[in-house]
Amino acid sequence: MRYNTPPLGGIYALNTHGGYTMKHSFLRKYIFPLLAACLALLIVNSGILKTPDRWVQDSLFQQPAVPSGDIIIIGIDEASLAALGPYGPSYRGYMAYALRTLASDPENLPAVVAVDILYEGETDPSVDNQFAQAAASLPHVVTACMANFGDKITWVDGHAVGLESSVLSLVNPYDALKNVTTQGHINAMADKDGILRHALLYVKDPYTGEKILSMASQTARIFLESKDSSFTLPYINSAGHYYVPFTGKPGAFNDNLSLLKLIQGEIPSAVWKDKIVLIGPYAAALNDYYFTAADKSKPMYGIEYQANVIQSLFDRNLKSEASEAFQFVLVAILCVCAAFLFFRLPIRFGGIICIFLLIISFFGAYLFWRAGLVVHVLWLPVAILLVYLAALIAHYIHASRERRALALEKERVSTELALATRIQSNFLPKIFPPFPDRHEFDLYASMTPAREVGGDLYDFFLIDDDHLCLVIGDVSGKGVPASLFMMLASALIHHVAMRELSPAKILSEVNAEICNRNPEEMFVTVWLGILEISTGILTAASAGHEYPTLCNPNGAFELVKDKHGFVLGGMPGIRYRDYTLSLEPGSKLFVYTDGVPEATDANQQMFGTDRMIQALNTATDKDPGTILKTVKNSVSAFVGNAEQFDDLTMLCLEFKGKPTEI
């Protein structure tokens, strides 16, 4: 059996009487986790995460793909401006010539041409008519219109979701051009952080109530219908916006085709056959660019934005943003469950679960994205981290209280031990045979103190079903102080041994503990062995104790001159060494304190290890109890009437092995 520190939720708080209170346990199990979860949810839903959440969404979801070959951009770039002059009314003539060029080869007509420039009002009638006639010569041309909105906009989560005022006016192209083309609005609205992530599906004409689709929507619709394919409208919010998955970053759709090259006849007509041709500004001087979710560090020209929206529409790569209520309820459920786990489990296991939930939260956001839903990426992981942090603080506070309670308890026990020397004799195990149901071994031990209480110790106990721990030791000094130190050492050894199977590590840990609280600088010699019952392998270590003796089957007792380590309590930082003995069925192990060989007669002569070995070898065929009596009788006969100088402690084990089945 191993001793594990119970989780936070399973420990009751100590009250002033040393008992446990259900009130504190209820708080830790239920109230504190709920409070931590509520606080985390308040922080998550406070709006503080809006901008970082959007940026994480952009990093995870806005991944470049292959731009469609069905979309080509003809830009009014720097070279066109340099050759044709600054942009102005004269460009209507250039645009008319460009459209006639696109219509010049009936075998290679574009599917649809979209001109991302607003041509409101009339200029030179002849030029305006040429422009309109050129547009009419093509199968489909989409021209720009633009709505003027009121000033008050409702913002939620960093982007527009509602308009409290309607469209004030709609600016259309001049009549001749409007009558021969399809209009699509070119309104675009960035989020509050200045990043363009959404597109406006339609605007309403304030006079007729007609819904005018965006230029991108009109272009995608016409293109799909030309391919005998259906057009699907995206899901929009209350403000008419929908989320745009960008296919390409700035420059991705740029094939280096310009208005100048088109006019000069440098572009073969096969390039635009059955394709979408977008014509619009492609120079910084024209001020038609945005910072988008595709790349927040580099501006994207409006014509490129149109290309991205068009591709998302005809690829049907449509995403809708999950409702705030749905996301909050889901995060709340997971957050509360995580809080109950973190407050009940040990910190290490809670940390593992926290990491697992963080991974799952990001992976879940990605799965929602693949399913067509855009969710708040940071809500759940931030809530989980906040709850785990609260659990860490609660664990720390509880552990501090436990340490204080333990310190008070040790002080109380120390005071009571000073008045309880009479129970020391009952501290050592005295029931023999100690394990009546175990037939693999026989065991006997005894201690005869030199005074009312002794400083020697012995102990034996089962760590688990297959490991038997044997301990014998000798404390420096005599009387009550030695007995108290003996009980401390014995308790520490027993405590550590119940979770550690290496005698050397047990002695090292006990030595460190004794050195930390040993103002009287007492010490104890210890021999400790752990027998693996199933194999007969005995692993042992010595802290300055007497050599053990071993008798193999049909043999004699002999000293095992093991490697001595330093005494426990003598010096911190000591490391001990394990060694092993292989016990065969019938082997006997005898360990003792120095009270046996150092027993002195009236002439100040010591009994010695040689006489001890002789006494042992007269009883090699006896059981452990008889062997101990034989040695004790030999010592008593040698000492005679002389006063017993030291505690006399012995332990004998006979290993019998696995019982033979009948």
Side-chain angles (χ1 to χ4, degrees):
M1 180 181 292
R2 295 286 185 270
Y3 175 82
N4 292 315
T5 302
L8 176 64
I11 304 177
Y12 295 96
L14 285 170
N15 61 21
T16 54
H17 303 289
Y20 298 108
T21 62
M22 289 294 293
K23 176 183 177 181
H24 291 165
S25 176
F26 180 80
L27 288 174
R28 275 194 303 277
K29 285 184 176 180
Y30 303 104
I31 303 302
F32 291 165
L34 284 175
L35 288 176
C38 290
L39 179 61
L41 292 171
L42 284 174
I43 294 174
V44 163
N45 201 38
S46 66
I48 194 173
L49 296 178
K50 286 180 180 178
T51 297
D53 186 70
R54 285 296 186 188
W55 284 48
V56 173
Q57 280 183 345
D58 297 341
S59 298
L60 289 180
F61 301 151
Q62 298 292 357
Q63 299 299 326
V66 179
S68 173
D70 290 324
I71 303 174
I72 64 172
I73 291 177
I74 296 178
I76 305 174
D77 59 3
E78 302 290 349
S80 299
L81 293 174
L84 303 177
Y87 186 82
S90 62
Y91 271 73
R92 294 195 182 193
Y94 297 139
M95 292 300 299
Y97 189 81
L99 295 183
R100 284 198 299 271
T101 302
L102 293 172
S104 62
D105 185 356
E107 300 297 325
N108 291 310
L109 293 176
V112 57
V113 177
V115 182
D116 189 19
I117 302 171
L118 179 59
Y119 293 103
E120 66 171 307
E122 297 179 350
T123 57
D124 185 334
S126 63
V127 175
D128 290 346
N129 287 332
Q130 289 177 18
F131 191 4
Q133 290 170 5
S137 66
L138 287 164
H140 299 285
V141 176
V142 179
T143 53
C145 64
M146 187 172 66
N148 292 320
F149 291 99
D151 295 332
K152 194 170 183 181
I153 302 171
T154 301
W155 299 85
V156 172
D157 198 27
H159 65 276
V161 297
L163 301 174
E164 296 188 13
S165 60
S166 60
V167 175
L168 299 180
S169 63
L170 185 67
V171 182
N172 284 299
Y174 63 93
D175 290 341
L177 183 62
K178 177 182 178 183
N179 293 334
V180 295
T181 61
T182 301
Q183 283 70 59
H185 78 81
I186 56 173
N187 293 83
M189 188 176 296
D191 292 345
K192 274 191 172 181
D193 60 358
I195 304 301
L196 189 61
R197 299 183 180 88
H198 300 80
L200 182 61
L201 180 61
Y202 64 84
V203 295
K204 281 187 178 182
D205 189 315
Y207 302 107
T208 66
E210 179 187 2
K211 291 182 179 179
I212 310 298
L213 289 176
S214 66
M215 173 173 283
S217 300
Q218 293 283 31
T219 304
R221 177 186 62 79
I222 294 171
F223 178 78
L224 290 173
E225 289 175 354
S226 72
K227 303 293 184 181
D228 296 326
S229 182
S230 62
F231 173 67
T232 303
L233 289 174
Y235 168 83
I236 59 174
N237 60 27
S238 59
H241 286 87
Y242 60 95
Y243 191 87
V244 177
F246 285 83
T247 299
K249 293 186 176 183
F253 285 90
N254 182 16
D255 292 320
N256 199 26
L257 303 178
S258 67
L259 180 64
L260 179 62
K261 290 182 179 180
L262 179 62
I263 292 174
Q264 292 178 341
E266 297 179 13
I267 306 175
S269 60
V271 171
W272 59 71
K273 181 182 179 181
D274 296 329
K275 294 184 179 180
I276 296 172
V277 177
L278 302 178
I279 304 176
Y282 208 84
L286 297 178
N287 293 320
D288 185 27
Y289 55 82
Y290 309 90
F291 288 94
T292 65
D295 188 343
K296 292 181 282 293
S297 63
K298 185 177 180 181
M300 176 182 289
Y301 291 112
I303 198 71
E304 294 180 305
Y305 168 70
Q306 298 287 1
N308 274 283
V309 178
I310 291 169
Q311 181 160 346
S312 70
L313 290 171
F314 71 62
D315 284 348
R316 293 180 174 82
N317 186 17
L318 305 176
K319 309 293 182 183
S320 59
E321 292 175 292
S323 71
E324 300 288 303
F326 166 76
Q327 295 185 74
F328 185 81
V329 170
L330 182 61
V331 171
I333 292 172
L334 295 175
C335 185
V336 170
C337 293
F340 281 112
L341 282 175
F342 294 155
F343 275 78
R344 281 168 166 75
L345 293 174
I347 290 296
R348 180 178 61 182
F349 295 115
I352 294 173
I353 292 176
C354 179
I355 294 173
F356 176 76
L357 289 176
L358 292 179
I359 296 172
I360 289 296
S361 64
F362 286 107
F363 184 67
Y366 175 74
L367 291 181
F368 275 117
W369 166 265
R370 292 297 300 269
L373 279 179
V374 182
V375 299
H376 292 292
V377 180
L378 291 183
W379 273 20
L380 182 57
V382 169
I384 294 296
L385 284 174
L386 290 174
V387 168
Y388 182 65
L389 179 61
L392 280 177
I393 295 172
H395 275 281
Y396 176 78
I397 293 173
H398 181 73
S400 298
R401 290 178 177 175
E402 275 198 321
R403 286 193 293 270
R404 289 196 297 269
L406 183 61
L408 292 173
E409 182 69 10
K410 287 182 178 179
E411 182 180 352
R412 181 184 64 82
V413 171
S414 177
T415 302
E416 291 180 355
L417 281 176
L419 303 175
T421 56
R422 64 181 181 275
I423 68 171
Q424 190 266 337
S425 61
N426 296 322
F427 183 78
L428 302 174
K430 285 184 168 58
I431 300 176
F432 296 98
F435 309 105
D437 296 329
R438 303 305 296 261
H439 305 291
E440 302 96 328
F441 58 89
D442 193 7
L443 178 64
Y444 201 91
S446 68
M447 186 185 79
T448 305
R451 300 184 182 179
E452 292 79 9
V453 290
D456 281 5
L457 65 96
Y458 69 81
D459 201 2
F460 45 82
F461 50 90
L462 286 169
I463 298 174
D464 54 38
D465 287 339
D466 195 38
H467 292 89
L468 172 68
C469 185
L470 307 172
V471 185
I472 191 165
D474 186 1
V475 177
S476 61
K478 303 285 189 299
V480 172
S483 71
L484 293 176
F485 198 79
M486 175 273 285
M487 296 176 72
L488 172 64
S490 180
L492 287 173
I493 292 171
H494 191 286
H495 174 72
V496 177
M498 290 304 292
R499 55 179 171 80
E500 177 59 62
L501 294 180
S502 167
K505 291 182 180 179
I506 295 170
L507 295 180
S508 295
E509 190 169 339
V510 172
N511 178 67
E513 186 67 17
I514 291 176
C515 289
N516 286 337
R517 42 180 173 171
N518 188 17
E520 300 301 323
E521 299 183 350
M522 299 181 71
F523 62 87
V524 56
T525 67
V526 172
W527 179 92
L528 190 151
I530 296 178
L531 174 66
E532 188 174 52
I533 301 170
S534 61
T535 63
I537 300 298
L538 177 73
T539 305
S542 175
H545 199 71
E546 302 293 321
Y547 294 132
T549 64
L550 179 64
C551 175
N552 290 317
N554 302 319
F557 278 96
E558 295 180 355
L559 290 176
V560 178
K561 295 188 176 182
D562 55 8
K563 181 69 176 180
H564 281 185
F566 202 57
V567 296
L568 299 184
M571 183 185 300
I574 298 297
R575 293 292 179 266
Y576 299 90
R577 296 183 180 178
D578 285 334
Y579 66 91
T580 59
L581 299 173
S582 181
L583 304 187
E584 302 173 8
S587 297
K588 295 182 177 66
L589 176 75
F590 175 82
V591 289
Y592 53 96
T593 60
D594 60 5
V596 176
E598 293 179 5
T600 306
D601 64 7
N603 298 321
Q604 300 300 309
Q605 291 184 348
M606 290 191 295
F607 183 67
T609 55
D610 290 339
R611 290 188 179 90
M612 181 186 72
I613 295 295
Q614 290 176 6
L616 288 169
N617 285 330
T618 62
T620 56
D621 59 341
K622 306 298 183 181
D623 62 88
T626 303
I627 291 175
L628 262 59
K629 291 178 182 178
T630 300
V631 175
K632 183 178 181 181
N633 290 338
S634 297
V635 171
S636 298
F638 174 79
V639 171
N641 295 326
E643 182 181 359
Q644 182 178 339
F645 177 76
D646 202 355
D647 302 330
L648 195 69
T649 304
M650 299 174 289
L651 184 148
C652 185
L653 167 77
E654 180 182 2
F655 179 67
K656 297 182 178 181
K658 186 177 180 180
T660 303
E661 296 183 2
I662 301 176

